[in-house]
Structure formats: structure tokens, C-alpha cells
Amino acid sequence: MEEKKFDLNSIIGFVLIFGILIWIMYQNQPSDKEIAAEKAKKELVAKQEAQAKADKTKTAVLPVAAATTPGDTVQLANLQKTLGGFAYSATLPSAKEGFTTIENEKIKLKIANKGGYIVEATLKEFEKFKKGSGELVELIKDNNSHLNIQLQTTDNRTLNSKDLFFEPTLTKSGADQILTMRLKAGANEFLEYKYILKANDYLVGFDIRSQGLNKVLNSSKPLDLVWDLKSFRNEKSVSIEKRYAQLEYEYGDEKYSSVSDGVGKEDTPEKVSYIAFKQHFFTAILATDKPFEKSKLQSDALIKDESIDTTFVKQFRATVPLAFSNGEVDYKMSWYFGPSDYKTLKSYDKNFEKIIPLGWGIFGWINQWIFIPLFGFLSSTIGLSLGIAIIIFTILIKLAMSPITYKSFLSQAKMKVLRPEITELGEKFKKDPMKKQQETMKLYNKAGVNPMAGCIPALIQLPFMYASFQFFPSAFELRQKSFLWADDLSSFDAVVQLPFHIPLYGDHISLFPILAAIAIFFYMKMTSGDQQMAAPQQEGMPDMAKMMKIMIYVSPLMMLIFFNSYGAGLSLYNFISNLITIGIMFVIKNYIVDTDKIHAQIQENKLKEPKKQSKFQQRLQEVMEQQEATKGQNKKK
């Protein structure tokens, strides 16, 4: 066999081939960017695979009642340590932050899975502050309101429904939207909130009931339902909104009241049928078909400094009991989220309209039976602009009151004619005031003049004046309705914004109050002379002439200060009212009442038999005679 020799050429060939392979590998080595891209790609694929695996596992989670794996049992045991019988609710897919929205043409409600209560309530037809602001009125948002039921369990736990997760189910029944929120303790054991929203309505059905919880909840005492709301400011005037924001409620046999204004105010009425957290022009109401046996209602003012505290107005809180019946709770209730409009509230036939401050007694009757129907007819039925409606409304009211104005002026005219004789009696019996009074009364009786006749018509007009002070600030129709320079008749008509704040007056100048003050100045200037002539100075009585001179300037000033921050609608009403009164008085004085005829009639009456005295005049005469007799006896002693 031939021996192989070392082949140098072969070795050189292998070395060259190896070198070529090394060079090829070096040239094909990826760059740093390519390496980073490849690494990111691999990480993304790995993450997607892990997420898919997690989703698959999450989807495979069964309700506790069907749990079969050791992991489910451990999860349930851990949840039961804190949630007791309601651990079931925490294992459902709905046990996460989520929301369900229901809405119609008027309102939009957002209900949270956690707590099952309304976290947003938006009124879709109304804007904040001013027309065109672009911000809708939101009664509830940003955690300013909570609804909570304190759950006392049979295993001595205290849980709050607002911290637990409800399972939502949204269905429809015709045009009605029905949202059922269930806090579950098992497949068929739950606490349920049911929201029923009808089309084109502000009223939302709200039922609370339990099913199968008689072994979970301690039914020996009622559940405490707590509803609180921190009311947002929605109007231009902070001070006016603060004044009209109130916690109102109906209790007992259709009795009505409100929690007093201030800080830390509280009422504890029984048999409460509805609770209203009222702002100036909007309100949130919780009503129940089965009255709450007891309640604790609280109101706190949040505005301390009107230049700083401009977001929230008041903090409201209501605590009411939900009584058990056969181990379960079942309450048919309703929410109202909408305008504080008298006609809208009255349409529900639940006495909601009582939250509108129309005044007590006769003032409320005037508003309810005269002002509201008349103004509603002018503004809605006829379709006049609100400013024109106010003017015509004022004219009609003043014309209706003109006979009373005539009677008042006629009485003043008669007293003015008698003034010289009354002055003469004053001089004659200067040293005997009692005798002077007796003779004056005899003169009145002979002349057929009643000194009280001028006061009674004025007293009749007072309720109408006070009723207007209640009606216009509460008239929802005026909100954001413009007239002339006023862009909102429900708020002040600022024509100048001041760079500083004047105590009692404000930081702006409103024009309608200035016009109303000027009108009342000329009215008082016009009538003060006749009043002074009609009412001669009485012994021991203040000088009415001086008082009237002071009031001529004080009354317009008070009008100017008081009305500067009030709604322009009220100032417009008072301006037109005083103008019309001036006109009526001018006509009566110059074209109707003839002082010469009055004087002749009085002289003729003196020749006749004196009229029979009224019971009041008789009683007054008897008192004066008794005083005179007593005075004579004292002198003899």
C-alpha cells in the first residue's frame, strides 16, 4: 500500500475556504439597529401571547357557585374575609370600573357599576350662567353626589353599597329604558336598584328591593339610605343663588317645610314623602310612595366669601331608613332632575310645586291664583316676549288696582279740605289734647269722612306688592330671556362692571334699578304734599311732614341698593308699576277728583244728621270720654 504524503496545496485550499467563510459571516452580521428591532419584535410577540393567555384565563373564570378549581376556592375564601355574603359580586365580570348611560330628550344619566348610583346627571336643554355659554347644566358630576346603603350583615359586618360592584342590565319596554343594577350575594340573591327612564321626561322611576337576602342581611333594624349632594353654582349671581338654594321636604299629611339656612342646620321630620335638594332654578328630588318613617336632613352653606367661593353653593345630606318587610326591602321611588318651574313640577301631581317660594298665606294665594296664570297666559299662550309680557302684566295689575288707588286719593283729598278746620280745632283746644281729639272725631262724623279710608286701600295693595317680590325671583320663564340691554331677566342687568366691591351694593351697576328708583322718587314727590296736607300734626306724634321729606330720598336709595343684585325682571316690574301709578294719580288728581265739589259736599253733609258711627268709632269715642272723665276726677283730687 502506498504511503500518503502531506499535500501542501490541499492545506492551502482548506485555509482559503475557511477564510472565505469567516469573511461571509462577518459581512452578513446584523447591525445594532437590526438587533434592537429584532429584540423588540420578539418581546411584542411574547407580550401578545401572554395577554392572549391571560384573557383566555379571565374568560374562563366561572361564578363562585360553579367554581371547581382550587384557584377559584382560594379567591372566594379571600373575598369572603372582607365581603362576607357579597363576595359573589366581586367575582363577576362587572366587578370593575364601568358605567351605563341612559338618556332621553331632556336628561342624560350616567350610572356607575361601583355603587350602582348616578354619577352624572345632565340637563340637555339648559346652559350654565348665560345663554350661549356652551356648558350644559350638570346637577351631578365629579363625585359631588353619592347614594349609599349601609348594609348590616348577619355575620356582624358593616358594608357600604357605594364601595361594592353592581351588575348592570339594560333593557327596553317600548320607549322606556330600564336599567337594573344588582349587588349579588348569589345567582338569585341580590340588592337591586331599578332605573326607569321614559321618553321626554324629567322624572326617573327608581325602585329599591332585595331578594333572597334574609339570611345575609340583619333585618332586625332598617337599612340606612344616605343621599348627599354638593350643589354646583349654575347662575350668574352668587348671592341670589345662595339665597334660594334650600333643602325642602314634604312630611306628615302633606305638610311642607325646609331646613333653615346657615351652617350645620338639621331637621328630623317623620313620614317624609319627598326630599328636594333645590338650587335657584334647578332641583334634584327623591320621592317615595311609601313615606320614610324617620329622617335626618342636613344643610350646610358653602359660600363664606362670594368673591372666592364660586363653585359650590350648599352641601345637602339626607339619611332615611328602609324598613324590612318579611326579611326583604321593597320601595317604589322616583328621582326628579330638572327645572324648578312651577308648571312643570305641578304636572307630576306629587306636590313638587310646593318647593317654589311663592310666599305664605294670602301672598301665596295671589301668586298661585292670579300672578302665575296671568303671566303664563301672556308669555306662553299669546307668545309675547318676556319683557313685553312683564310690561302688559304690570299694566293689567295696576289697572285692576286703580279703583283702590282712587279711593285712597279721594280720602286724602277730603282730609285736605278739612285741614283748615282741624287746624282751628287744634288751636282752640291747644291745652286740652283729649278734647281736641273728641272734637276732631265729631267733625269727621259730621262731614262724613272716615280718617281710616285712606289707609285701608293702601293696606289692600301691600299683599300684591309683596307677592311680586316672591313671584319674579322664582319665575323660571325669565331665566336667560333677554329684553333691551338685559341679557337675562332673571339676573341683574349690569351695564357697568366696577373694579371694586361696594358693601351692600355690589361690584356692578344695574340700570333697571336706577330707573325704578327715579320713578319712585317722582311718585313720592308727587304725593307727599297731599299726604302732609291730609294728615295735620297731632299732639305728641312725630312730625309726619319731616318724615315724608326724609322718605322721599331714603326710599329711592333703598330701592337702588336692594335691587342692584336682583333680577332685572323684578326691577322692570317696579319701574313700570311706579310709572303707571304716577299716570293714574295724575289723571285722578287733574281730571276726576274736584276739590271744590268735595268741599261743597262736606259742607252739605255737615247740615245733615250725622251718620251713625261705626262700632270702631263708637268704641274710640267711649275710650276718649272715659279718659277725659278720669282726667277730670284726678284734677278734683
Side-chain angles (χ1 to χ4, degrees):
M1 185 173 180
E2 183 178 2
E3 184 180 355
K4 292 183 178 179
K5 296 182 180 178
F6 184 74
D7 188 352
L8 182 60
N9 292 330
S10 297
I11 294 173
I12 294 171
F14 280 118
V15 170
L16 290 175
I17 292 172
F18 181 75
I20 291 171
L21 290 173
I22 295 297
W23 181 81
I24 291 173
M25 290 175 62
Y26 178 81
Q27 289 296 321
N28 291 324
Q29 183 178 2
S31 63
D32 293 341
K33 291 184 179 180
E34 290 173 333
I35 293 172
E38 183 66 16
K39 183 178 179 181
K41 182 179 179 180
K42 289 180 179 180
E43 288 177 351
L44 179 60
V45 171
K47 185 176 181 180
Q48 290 174 341
E49 290 176 350
Q51 184 66 42
K53 185 176 180 181
D55 291 343
K56 185 177 180 181
T57 302
K58 184 176 180 180
T59 304
V61 173
L62 298 174
V64 174
T68 56
T69 65
D72 292 331
T73 305
V74 172
Q75 180 189 23
L76 175 60
N78 290 333
L79 290 171
Q80 285 177 334
K81 290 179 182 179
T82 55
L83 302 180
F86 290 102
Y88 183 95
S89 64
T91 67
L92 300 176
S94 57
K96 59 183 178 181
E97 297 289 347
F99 306 93
T100 305
T101 299
I102 55 176
E103 61 182 306
N104 59 18
E105 297 82 354
K106 295 184 179 296
I107 59 175
K108 178 180 179 182
L109 304 177
K110 187 176 179 182
I111 296 93
N113 288 1
K114 188 174 183 180
Y117 60 88
I118 298 169
V119 293
E120 288 185 13
T122 304
L123 304 183
K124 300 167 70 173
E125 298 175 311
F126 307 105
E127 294 177 294
K128 289 182 180 180
F129 310 128
K130 62 180 182 179
K131 190 174 182 179
S133 68
E135 299 180 70
L136 293 177
V137 170
E138 296 171 296
L139 300 182
I140 300 176
K141 70 168 185 176
D142 298 338
N143 292 317
N144 75 315
S145 179
H146 303 89
L147 183 77
N148 180 57
I149 296 179
Q150 196 171 73
L151 305 169
Q152 302 291 339
T153 65
T154 53
D155 56 356
N156 296 321
R157 299 176 190 275
T158 300
L159 303 174
N160 292 303
S161 65
K162 66 183 178 68
D163 299 326
L164 305 176
F165 287 101
F166 287 64
E167 183 181 59
T169 303
L170 180 60
T171 58
K172 285 191 175 183
S173 176
D176 299 349
Q177 301 172 61
I178 302 172
L179 175 62
T180 302
M181 306 292 294
R182 288 180 175 176
L183 172 60
K184 292 189 170 183
N188 295 304
E189 302 167 353
F190 51 80
L191 173 68
E192 178 184 270
Y193 297 166
K194 181 183 287 186
Y195 299 90
I196 305 168
L197 180 62
K198 297 180 179 180
N200 201 35
D201 202 347
Y202 296 110
L203 198 67
V204 184
F206 180 60
D207 301 341
I208 296 181
R209 73 180 185 98
S210 65
Q211 178 176 300
L213 296 182
N214 52 338
K215 294 182 179 179
V216 178
L217 295 177
N218 180 3
S219 59
S220 62
K221 59 180 182 179
L223 300 176
D224 280 339
L225 172 68
V226 180
W227 174 38
D228 64 73
L229 183 143
K230 193 189 300 185
S231 65
F232 285 106
R233 173 193 164 208
N234 288 304
E235 309 304 324
K236 184 165 64 173
S237 175
V238 179
S239 59
I240 297 300
E241 188 156 12
K242 175 186 175 183
R243 182 176 299 141
Y244 287 96
Q246 288 277 100
L247 194 161
E248 318 277 355
Y249 59 91
E250 185 184 58
Y251 69 103
D253 187 17
E254 294 189 358
K255 297 177 182 177
Y256 173 79
S257 188
S258 60
V259 178
S260 301
D261 199 12
V263 178
K265 298 297 181 178
E266 179 181 307
D267 283 359
T268 55
E270 298 180 353
K271 301 290 185 181
V272 173
S273 53
Y274 73 72
I275 301 163
F277 294 166
K278 179 184 173 295
Q279 301 174 30
H280 187 185
F281 284 126
F282 300 97
T283 189
I285 303 175
L286 176 62
T288 176
D289 292 348
K290 181 168 62 176
F292 303 121
E293 289 296 324
K294 295 181 180 180
S295 64
K296 182 179 179 182
L297 309 177
Q298 299 164 282
S299 175
D300 289 285
L302 300 179
I303 297 177
K304 307 297 187 298
D305 185 340
E306 293 182 5
S307 62
I308 300 174
D309 305 322
T310 58
T311 302
F312 298 103
V313 181
K314 286 191 176 178
Q315 173 73 63
F316 301 121
R317 185 181 180 89
T319 303
V320 295
L322 301 179
F324 283 92
S325 177
N326 298 321
E328 305 289 357
V329 294
D330 189 2
Y331 277 78
K332 302 292 184 183
M333 298 188 283
S334 56
W335 294 105
Y336 174 86
F337 298 104
S340 300
D341 175 52
Y342 183 87
K343 287 180 288 187
T344 301
L345 293 170
K346 188 175 177 61
S347 67
Y348 291 105
D349 197 26
K350 293 178 178 287
N351 294 328
F352 287 168
E353 71 276 7
K354 288 184 178 181
I355 71 171
I356 307 298
L358 298 179
W360 55 271
I362 188 172
F363 311 118
W365 300 337
I366 290 172
N367 277 322
Q368 187 175 357
W369 301 110
I370 299 177
F371 282 12
I372 290 176
L374 178 59
F375 192 75
F377 173 77
L378 293 173
S379 60
S380 301
T381 308
I382 297 181
L384 298 173
S385 74
L386 271 296
I388 300 298
I390 290 174
I391 293 173
I392 296 177
F393 172 84
T394 311
I395 292 172
L396 293 176
I397 294 294
K398 297 305 293 185
L399 287 177
M401 301 294 290
S402 59
I404 297 174
T405 305
Y406 169 74
K407 287 285 186 182
S408 179
F409 188 83
L410 182 61
S411 177
Q412 289 180 17
K414 289 180 178 180
M415 294 291 290
K416 181 179 178 181
V417 169
L418 285 177
R419 182 180 173 88
E421 296 180 54
I422 295 172
T423 303
E424 185 179 335
L425 288 174
E427 290 296 325
K428 184 176 180 181
F429 300 102
K430 189 173 183 180
K431 296 182 179 181
D432 193 349
M434 187 63 67
K435 185 67 175 175
K436 184 185 80 170
Q437 291 292 342
Q438 290 176 336
E439 293 300 320
T440 302
M441 292 299 295
K442 288 180 182 178
L443 176 62
Y444 288 151
N445 191 37
K446 280 184 179 181
V449 174
N450 185 353
M452 299 297 294
C455 300
I456 294 173
L459 291 175
I460 293 174
Q461 295 183 70
L462 278 177
F464 286 84
M465 183 181 70
Y466 182 79
S468 71
F469 280 87
Q470 297 293 109
F471 171 72
F472 283 100
S474 300
F476 183 83
E477 302 95 317
L478 300 181
R479 186 178 187 268
Q480 295 182 359
K481 297 299 189 298
S482 61
F483 180 66
L484 299 178
W485 57 84
D487 57 3
D488 186 350
L489 286 169
S490 71
S491 188
F492 52 83
D493 57 315
V495 291
V496 176
Q497 194 68 37
L498 302 174
F500 50 84
H501 184 273
I502 301 175
L504 302 178
Y505 186 72
D507 59 357
H508 62 273
I509 298 175
S510 298
L511 185 52
F512 275 129
I514 294 175
L515 296 176
I518 293 172
I520 198 172
F521 171 80
F522 282 105
Y523 166 71
M524 295 191 71
K525 194 80 172 173
M526 178 181 181
T527 59
S528 61
D530 292 331
Q531 290 172 353
Q532 291 169 31
M533 290 292 289
Q537 175 67 24
Q538 300 293 324
E539 190 74 27
M541 298 295 289
D543 190 341
M544 295 303 296
K546 290 183 179 179
M547 290 183 64
M548 286 305 300
K549 286 180 180 178
I550 295 172
M551 290 304 296
I552 288 174
Y553 299 97
V554 171
S555 294
L557 182 61
M558 291 176 63
M559 170 80 72
L560 191 64
I561 294 173
F562 181 76
F563 282 88
N564 190 60
S565 294
Y566 261 80
L570 180 60
S571 299
L572 173 61
Y573 170 81
N574 279 277
F575 170 55
I576 299 299
S577 177
N578 286 319
L579 280 184
I580 295 170
T581 303
I582 290 172
I584 291 174
M585 293 293 288
F586 180 81
V587 171
I588 291 173
K589 185 176 182 179
N590 293 279
Y591 299 100
I592 298 178
V593 173
D594 188 331
T595 54
D596 293 333
K597 286 184 178 181
I598 291 173
H599 184 269
Q601 184 64 52
I602 288 175
Q603 298 307 316
E604 184 180 333
N605 290 341
K606 287 181 182 180
L607 301 175
K608 298 178 181 178
E609 279 293 321
K611 289 185 178 179
K612 186 179 179 181
Q613 290 182 326
S614 66
K615 290 184 179 180
F616 173 77
Q617 289 174 321
Q618 290 175 3
R619 181 60 182 161
L620 184 62
Q621 184 72 22
E622 289 173 3
V623 170
M624 292 171 67
E625 288 175 354
Q626 288 173 3
Q627 289 178 345
E628 186 68 21
T630 303
K631 184 178 178 182
Q633 291 175 1
N634 291 336
K635 285 183 178 179
K636 290 179 181 180
K637 292 179 181 179

